[in-house]
Amino acid sequence: MAKELKNLTKRAENYSQWYNELVVKADLAEQSAVRGCMVIKPYGYAIWEKMQHELDRMFKETGVQNAYFPLLIPKSFLSREADHVEGFAKECAVVTHYRLMNDPNGKGVVVDPTARLEEELIIRPTSETIIWNTFRNWINSHRDLPLLCNQWCNVFRWEMRTRLFLRTAEFLWQEGHTAHATREEAEAKAIEMINVYADFAEKFMALPVVKGVKTANERFAGALNTYTIEAMMQDGKALQSGTSHFLGQNFAKAFDVKFVNKENQLDYVWATSWGVSTRLMGALIMTHSDDNGLVLPPKLAPIQVVIVPVYKSADQLAEVDKVVEPIVARLRGMGISVKYDNADNKRPGFKFADYELKGVPVRLVLGARDIEAGTVEVMRRDTLEKHVAQLEGIEEYVKTLLDDIQNNIFTKALNHRESMTCKVDTWEEFKEQIEKGGFILAHWDGTTETEEKIKEETKATIRCIPVDSVEEEGKCIYTGKPSSRRVIFARNY
Amino acid sequence: MAKELKNLTKRAENYSQWYNELVVKADLAEQSAVRGCMVIKPYGYAIWEKMQHELDRMFKETGVQNAYFPLLIPKSFLSREADHVEGFAKECAVVTHYRLMNDPNGKGVVVDPTARLEEELIIRPTSETIIWNTFRNWINSHRDLPLLCNQWCNVFRWEMRTRLFLRTAEFLWQEGHTAHATREEAEAKAIEMINVYADFAEKFMALPVVKGVKTANERFAGALNTYTIEAMMQDGKALQSGTSHFLGQNFAKAFDVKFVNKENQLDYVWATSWGVSTRLMGALIMTHSDDNGLVLPPKLAPIQVVIVPVYKSADQLAEVDKVVEPIVARLRGMGISVKYDNADNKRPGFKFADYELKGVPVRLVLGARDIEAGTVEVMRRDTLEKHVAQLEGIEEYVKTLLDDIQNNIFTKALNHRESMTCKVDTWEEFKEQIEKGGFILAHWDGTTETEEKIKEETKATIRCIPVDSVEEEGKCIYTGKPSSRRVIFARNY
């Protein structure tokens, strides 16, 4: 499955094309035969599995349990919550029949017209409706609360313009759904989960994020409040990376989910939902990678260390093999995933380029002369720097280097974001600045009307009202009306 | 979420009803609002996750990598392989539209008639077609082979009669798909994977299985050969628990997947596919459980040990807490999952019944008097036997007991199967014996015609031709024609 390793478009030439090419050339994903649906290839899926593993552990530490709810949702469920149906109806894949038959006029199969469903079913775009319809039977008393469920699954939203990982008709995600006895507890849970997402993004993906609240206009369809983590890509555009919603009692009312509270009175249940998806793969790729290919954070790299032998004869290779074997064993014993690539059908130069493209964080190269000298050549993928290190103690050296790379790419991304974040106080300056990309901290009068006009004129949206924003008197950049805090504007994916 | 613990129908009264009730009462799964689709509840899902975890590890040890392919398949793909479409066309959920709109005549939403797909899409009943259409672009040379992929996903088959876990319209499964350069290698892979399934069933599920080959009539639609593992439930009925298919070059031909072999010639690629599903949950439940509820093999139990305190005062509870805490820590340190249930709102008797129903393998009960005596009451779920053990060294005692339970329920199931397996040589005897349930080893003339007549008259099917069957001259029980080995007949789920 060797791919053309060269000819990756440079970021400076065409960032968008660089991304599209990189996803395919690095064997992460590709378009399928079905419009808007992707195939996630083994190497891409291995990264997604590592993400899942860490997130799942973090969810469980907060008391969340996994469950599974049906793929298909009765059409009528969607209409129960007014904002929700408004938000999703236009992108629903609809199942209308349950049988095919031989084409009476020729070859192949056709839909059997007699097998029409009484009520159409839609493929879940998200599962609030089917889950709250189920929760009605699970919740009677405050003793049944809180109920903390999550599911890992596929969802479907019929998108017109799709891009691998960033926006696809089918995507993989997790959706958490929790039920609570009080408003306060539900709000606290929504915040707890956005904090879990932010921790995961920063500690594992090395992705600095801004935590904030969405404006009414950008809220999830059916939520009273949406928390978000927003990241900045290398081109200065924002990428919404995870959201957590406080749903109030909207879905409980839509599906009649009541409980007997501690005061022995019937009340509607309070809800949250929260999700991250394979879109995180897009964020990961776009944040760290360079013109040579992927750069992966060591904590999510399927292969953390690759060892490539250099040799001129079978004897020399056998000698290298002998030295490498115990190193591999020791690295694995330390929990480091390592690949020793001594395949004879590819030249070292080809291997170097391939593992660079694939973003393997650390490369060790070892030949006969190194063995004599007791040294090894170490290349770190993030900076492409090479060092000669001592063979003795190389395992500890590699371990430290992996930590260093993880920290370095986070710092680099953070510095990049800070260098592309600025405060703007006039409309002229705003229009100029937005063309340069990046986050703009500016005052806004708080109305959806102004928000939409700004979007119309500049394609900039309000990414969020940062949770750590300070109160500050100011005037809306667009209307001049008073404002009490700055919000973040940016163009976005 | 306390359920009615009593009133579980007894197996001897109505085995089928016992199963249906148990699945719901033990909080494993329930019917959803969508016909034939189930909700897998957290406790049931936790068992499935443990199964996934072990299987995934075992697959990866054989070199298999995970990937993800689209949920939806173009209708025309299905027709490419003649047997395949014949097998699945009648149970396909069909997506015909991609948008809803507000009902012009009233409330709610209706399908937007202008958003009709040019070609209908079906929800995957299995993924051979979309995967082989993808493999065409991945495989050029023998160097690209073997290609060993697996995906964990949901699939959909419109079943008319459904039962939780055993037969549902939507179910969760894994489907492995491999591509090989030679017939021999593909056949060996199909056998390797049925061996993985058998190992998993026996070592983790404590489920004895017969490995065998399906008759032509019972083969997977599109396969040249189907290997199966067949288990026997407590009522003597067979349950097909996993299958592995040698697909020959059928799908490579249907999707034009050729490669350059070592002799530098173009040839079609050889294929296998293999899968197990949430149906295994049904096998697990039905094999070991009893009239008091679930019996779980320790290796798959979400909670392996529960500790219940008995006390009369808050002081006494505090004393028990103090003794239990280090025991819990030590058990966890040994990798044993333990729950200390000192919740004050339920009486011990209620807890005992609940954990019995849920199949927790070991229960420890500890009160003030036990602490004084340095003892603890130990109950093992498989036999319901109670022992008084010394508190000192209880962790090792529990560890040994868990192993013992795992072995004991396997042996019990194996003995049950052997006691319900017999050889039969006449048609009269066959008809009599099949009413008693169990596996019948009998001679068959090898024709589909005879197989179907036997099924018509007795509802018995050929479960498999066991791989360890010995050659033996005999006469077909139905036609009297010559036969060279016995096959297994049974009624089945």
Side-chain angles (χ1 to χ4, degrees):
Chain A
M1 279 188 282
K3 280 267 141 40
E4 238 187 304
L5 301 184
K6 293 170 192 172
N7 302 328
L8 178 62
T9 295
K10 294 201 177 351
R11 286 164 296 170
E13 278 169 32
N14 187 334
Y15 187 79
S16 172
Q17 194 174 321
W18 164 81
Y19 172 79
N20 294 344
E21 287 178 12
L22 179 53
V23 170
V24 173
K25 283 178 195 261
D27 275 335
L28 300 174
E30 63 182 39
Q31 296 292 356
S32 78
V34 183
R35 218 193 117 285
C37 294
M38 65 182 159
V39 172
I40 306 180
K41 300 182 77 171
Y43 192 62
Y45 201 85
I47 300 171
W48 175 241
E49 271 184 323
K50 291 214 147 206
M51 290 191 184
Q52 285 188 297
H53 180 77
E54 298 300 340
L55 282 166
D56 198 66
R57 180 185 54 72
M58 292 169 89
F59 298 158
K60 283 175 178 160
E61 280 172 8
T62 74
V64 169
Q65 293 183 299
N66 288 331
Y68 188 75
F69 297 87
L71 170 72
L72 299 180
I73 297 178
K75 192 192 64 181
S76 59
F77 279 24
L78 210 64
S79 321
R80 298 264 194 104
E81 212 289 329
D83 289 333
H84 195 70
V85 66
E86 182 69 25
F88 289 106
K90 285 180 187 146
E91 47 191 46
C92 286
V94 190
V95 175
T96 56
H97 292 75
Y98 56 86
R99 194 164 59 223
L100 299 174
M101 56 184 258
N102 288 325
D103 184 351
N105 303 318
K107 282 171 78 175
V109 282
V110 293
V111 175
D112 183 341
T114 68
R116 192 181 168 86
L117 289 168
E118 267 183 57
E119 180 183 2
E120 294 90 352
L121 298 167
I122 60 165
I123 301 181
R124 61 183 163 219
T126 179
S127 302
E128 278 78 6
T129 57
I130 188 93
I131 287 178
W132 279 86
N133 186 65
T134 308
F135 278 2
R136 186 176 55 249
N137 301 319
W138 293 6
I139 301 170
N140 294 302
S141 143
H142 63 90
R143 282 192 205 88
D144 301 324
L145 298 172
L147 188 56
L148 312 173
C149 283
N150 177 62
Q151 75 175 347
W152 290 95
C153 66
N154 51 349
V155 284
F156 210 97
R157 297 175 188 178
W158 204 279
E159 299 279 356
M160 281 303 155
R161 284 187 207 171
T162 62
R163 285 185 80 184
L164 292 169
F165 290 125
L166 295 174
R167 193 174 293 278
T168 48
E170 182 188 16
F171 54 92
L172 304 184
W173 80 345
Q174 60 67 217
E175 48 181 322
H177 296 269
T178 71
H180 304 268
T182 66
R183 176 184 186 112
E184 293 68 33
E185 198 186 294
E187 284 190 308
K189 189 74 193 176
I191 292 168
E192 182 187 11
M193 299 319 292
I194 201 71
N195 286 333
V196 166
Y197 289 156
D199 277 0
F200 170 74
E202 304 206 340
K203 289 187 187 139
F204 291 90
M205 297 175 68
L207 182 71
V209 292
V210 176
K211 281 187 276 192
V213 177
K214 286 286 185 190
T215 63
N217 198 38
E218 298 274 342
R219 254 178 225 147
F220 176 75
L224 297 191
N225 214 348
T226 287
Y227 299 91
T228 180
I229 51 170
E230 299 283 329
M232 187 195 290
M233 302 298 99
Q234 290 180 63
D235 61 351
K237 281 169 83 174
L239 192 140
Q240 176 182 306
S241 305
T243 49
S244 180
H245 316 293
F246 168 58
L247 302 172
Q249 295 172 311
N250 286 352
F251 287 91
K253 285 178 181 165
F255 290 91
D256 196 31
V257 187
K258 289 181 196 159
F259 75 109
V260 179
N261 65 22
K262 283 186 181 162
E263 290 74 42
N264 214 27
Q265 289 175 319
L266 267 183
D267 193 7
Y268 287 108
V269 178
W270 298 87
T272 81
S273 68
W274 29 275
V276 293
S277 73
T278 35
R279 187 166 222 231
L280 286 180
M281 291 288 294
L284 188 76
I285 297 159
M286 283 209 292
T287 302
H288 305 301
S289 303
D290 63 25
D291 293 346
N292 293 330
L294 276 185
V295 174
L296 292 176
K299 287 189 182 169
L300 297 177
I303 304 166
Q304 295 175 305
V305 180
V306 64
I307 306 178
V308 179
V310 185
Y311 55 92
K312 287 182 183 146
S313 65
D315 280 358
Q316 278 192 355
L317 177 58
E319 208 184 324
V320 179
D321 286 351
K322 217 163 57 185
V323 173
V324 170
E325 262 167 41
I327 297 175
V328 167
R330 281 194 295 268
L331 285 171
R332 290 203 177 129
M334 294 159 75
I336 293 169
S337 69
V338 52
K339 177 172 175 180
Y340 177 42
D341 186 353
N342 61 355
D344 201 36
N345 58 353
K346 285 166 195 156
R347 302 185 62 82
F350 178 93
K351 293 179 186 173
F352 295 170
D354 192 33
Y355 292 114
E356 265 176 50
L357 180 66
K358 297 265 175 72
V360 175
V362 172
R363 182 184 79 204
L364 305 181
V365 181
L366 202 69
R369 251 181 294 175
D370 295 292
I371 292 174
E372 257 175 55
T375 59
V376 57
E377 185 195 278
V378 183
M379 199 273 280
R380 55 186 287 174
R381 177 63 185 86
D382 57 338
T383 61
L384 296 170
E385 286 166 348
K386 289 179 202 167
H387 282 91
V388 173
Q390 296 300 308
L391 260 178
E392 171 129 13
I394 188 64
E395 298 85 3
E396 281 302 325
Y397 182 92
V398 164
K399 188 178 191 309
T400 306
L401 184 56
L402 288 170
D403 289 343
D404 191 37
I405 294 171
Q406 182 83 28
N407 294 332
N408 179 55
I409 63 173
F410 176 79
T411 305
K412 199 171 153 194
L414 185 61
N415 289 343
H416 173 260
R417 186 186 80 192
E418 286 179 355
S419 76
M420 291 195 76
T421 300
C422 65
K423 289 186 182 177
V424 160
D425 289 311
T426 71
W427 180 237
E428 285 311 308
E429 209 187 332
F430 185 94
K431 285 192 291 187
E432 206 181 296
Q433 191 61 41
I434 202 72
E435 295 300 328
K436 296 178 191 160
F439 287 178
I440 297 178
L441 287 159
H443 282 282
W444 160 64
D445 66 14
T447 69
T448 297
E449 198 191 345
T450 301
E451 190 180 357
E452 285 184 339
K453 279 188 178 151
I454 293 172
K455 185 176 176 183
E456 231 168 75
E457 293 188 31
T458 65
K459 289 183 192 151
T461 53
I462 300 178
R463 302 318 305 152
C464 68
I465 306 155
V467 291
D468 60 359
S469 70
V470 285
E471 276 207 45
E472 177 196 290
E473 290 301 305
K475 286 179 178 169
C476 173
I477 39 153
Y478 192 79
T479 63
K481 288 183 188 162
S483 147
S484 61
R485 52 171 40 86
R486 290 175 189 269
V487 300
I488 296 183
F489 284 93
R491 288 182 181 157
N492 68 292
Y493 280 94
Chain B
M1 276 189 283
K3 281 264 140 46
E4 238 187 304
L5 301 186
K6 293 172 192 171
N7 302 327
L8 178 62
T9 294
K10 296 203 177 347
R11 287 164 295 171
E13 279 170 31
N14 187 334
Y15 187 79
S16 173
Q17 194 174 321
W18 164 81
Y19 173 79
N20 294 343
E21 287 178 11
L22 179 54
V23 170
V24 173
K25 284 180 194 259
D27 275 334
L28 300 175
E30 64 183 39
Q31 296 291 355
S32 78
V34 183
R35 218 193 116 286
C37 295
M38 65 181 157
V39 172
I40 306 179
K41 300 183 77 170
Y43 192 63
Y45 200 85
I47 300 170
W48 175 240
E49 271 184 324
K50 290 213 149 207
M51 289 191 185
Q52 284 188 297
H53 180 78
E54 298 301 340
L55 283 166
D56 197 67
R57 181 184 54 71
M58 293 169 89
F59 298 158
K60 283 175 177 158
E61 281 172 8
T62 73
V64 170
Q65 294 183 298
N66 287 330
Y68 188 76
F69 296 87
L71 170 72
L72 300 180
I73 297 178
K75 191 192 63 181
S76 60
F77 279 25
L78 210 64
S79 320
R80 299 264 194 104
E81 213 289 326
D83 289 333
H84 195 68
V85 66
E86 183 69 24
F88 289 105
K90 285 181 188 146
E91 47 192 46
C92 286
V94 190
V95 175
T96 55
H97 292 75
Y98 56 85
R99 196 162 59 224
L100 300 173
M101 56 183 257
N102 289 322
D103 185 351
N105 303 319
K107 281 170 79 176
V109 282
V110 293
V111 175
D112 183 341
T114 68
R116 193 181 168 84
L117 289 168
E118 267 183 55
E119 179 180 4
E120 294 90 351
L121 298 167
I122 60 165
I123 301 181
R124 59 182 164 219
T126 179
S127 301
E128 278 78 6
T129 58
I130 188 92
I131 287 178
W132 278 86
N133 187 63
T134 308
F135 277 3
R136 187 176 54 248
N137 301 318
W138 294 6
I139 301 168
N140 293 301
S141 143
H142 64 90
R143 285 193 201 87
D144 301 324
L145 297 172
L147 188 56
L148 311 173
C149 284
N150 176 61
Q151 74 175 348
W152 290 96
C153 66
N154 51 349
V155 284
F156 210 96
R157 297 176 187 177
W158 204 278
E159 298 278 358
M160 282 303 155
R161 284 188 206 170
T162 64
R163 285 186 80 183
L164 292 169
F165 291 125
L166 295 174
R167 193 174 294 276
T168 48
E170 183 188 17
F171 54 92
L172 304 184
W173 79 345
Q174 59 69 219
E175 48 180 323
H177 296 269
T178 71
H180 304 266
T182 65
R183 176 184 186 113
E184 292 68 32
E185 199 186 293
E187 285 191 306
K189 187 76 193 174
I191 292 168
E192 180 186 12
M193 298 320 291
I194 203 70
N195 285 333
V196 166
Y197 290 155
D199 276 0
F200 170 74
E202 304 206 339
K203 290 188 186 137
F204 291 90
M205 297 175 67
L207 182 70
V209 293
V210 176
K211 282 186 275 191
V213 176
K214 286 284 184 191
T215 63
N217 198 38
E218 298 274 343
R219 254 177 225 149
F220 175 75
L224 297 192
N225 214 347
T226 288
Y227 299 91
T228 180
I229 51 171
E230 300 283 328
M232 188 196 291
M233 302 297 100
Q234 290 179 61
D235 62 349
K237 280 169 81 175
L239 192 140
Q240 176 182 307
S241 303
T243 49
S244 179
H245 316 294
F246 168 57
L247 303 172
Q249 296 173 311
N250 286 354
F251 287 91
K253 284 178 179 164
F255 290 90
D256 195 30
V257 188
K258 289 179 195 161
F259 74 109
V260 178
N261 65 21
K262 282 185 180 160
E263 290 74 40
N264 214 29
Q265 288 175 321
L266 267 182
D267 193 7
Y268 287 108
V269 179
W270 298 86
T272 81
S273 68
W274 28 276
V276 293
S277 73
T278 36
R279 184 165 224 232
L280 286 181
M281 292 287 294
L284 188 75
I285 298 160
M286 284 208 293
T287 302
H288 306 301
S289 303
D290 63 23
D291 292 346
N292 293 328
L294 277 184
V295 173
L296 292 175
K299 286 190 182 170
L300 297 176
I303 304 166
Q304 294 175 306
V305 181
V306 65
I307 307 179
V308 180
V310 185
Y311 56 92
K312 287 183 183 146
S313 64
D315 280 359
Q316 277 192 355
L317 177 58
E319 208 183 325
V320 179
D321 286 352
K322 219 162 56 186
V323 174
V324 170
E325 263 166 43
I327 296 175
V328 168
R330 281 193 294 268
L331 285 171
R332 290 203 177 129
M334 293 159 75
I336 293 169
S337 69
V338 52
K339 178 172 175 179
Y340 177 42
D341 187 353
N342 60 355
D344 201 36
N345 58 354
K346 286 166 194 155
R347 303 184 61 83
F350 177 94
K351 292 179 186 174
F352 295 169
D354 191 33
Y355 293 114
E356 265 176 50
L357 180 65
K358 297 266 175 69
V360 175
V362 172
R363 181 183 81 202
L364 305 183
V365 181
L366 202 68
R369 250 181 293 177
D370 296 292
I371 292 173
E372 256 174 58
T375 59
V376 57
E377 185 196 279
V378 183
M379 199 274 279
R380 56 185 288 173
R381 177 63 185 87
D382 58 338
T383 60
L384 296 170
E385 287 166 347
K386 288 179 203 166
H387 282 92
V388 174
Q390 296 300 308
L391 260 177
E392 172 128 13
I394 187 64
E395 299 85 3
E396 280 302 326
Y397 182 92
V398 164
K399 188 176 189 308
T400 307
L401 184 55
L402 288 170
D403 289 342
D404 191 37
I405 295 171
Q406 182 83 29
N407 295 333
N408 180 53
I409 63 173
F410 175 79
T411 306
K412 201 172 152 192
L414 184 61
N415 289 342
H416 173 260
R417 186 186 79 193
E418 286 179 355
S419 76
M420 292 194 77
T421 299
C422 65
K423 289 186 184 177
V424 160
D425 289 310
T426 71
W427 181 236
E428 284 312 307
E429 208 187 334
F430 185 92
K431 283 191 290 185
E432 203 181 298
Q433 189 62 41
I434 201 71
E435 294 301 326
K436 297 180 191 160
F439 288 177
I440 298 179
L441 287 160
H443 282 281
W444 159 67
D445 66 16
T447 70
T448 298
E449 198 192 342
T450 302
E451 190 179 358
E452 285 182 340
K453 279 189 179 152
I454 293 173
K455 185 177 176 182
E456 230 168 75
E457 293 189 32
T458 65
K459 291 185 191 147
T461 53
I462 300 178
R463 302 318 304 153
C464 67
I465 306 153
V467 291
D468 61 359
S469 69
V470 283
E471 276 205 48
E472 175 194 293
E473 289 302 304
K475 284 179 181 171
C476 174
I477 38 152
Y478 193 78
T479 62
K481 290 182 188 162
S483 148
S484 60
R485 51 169 44 83
R486 290 176 189 267
V487 300
I488 296 184
F489 285 91
R491 288 182 181 156
N492 68 293
Y493 281 93

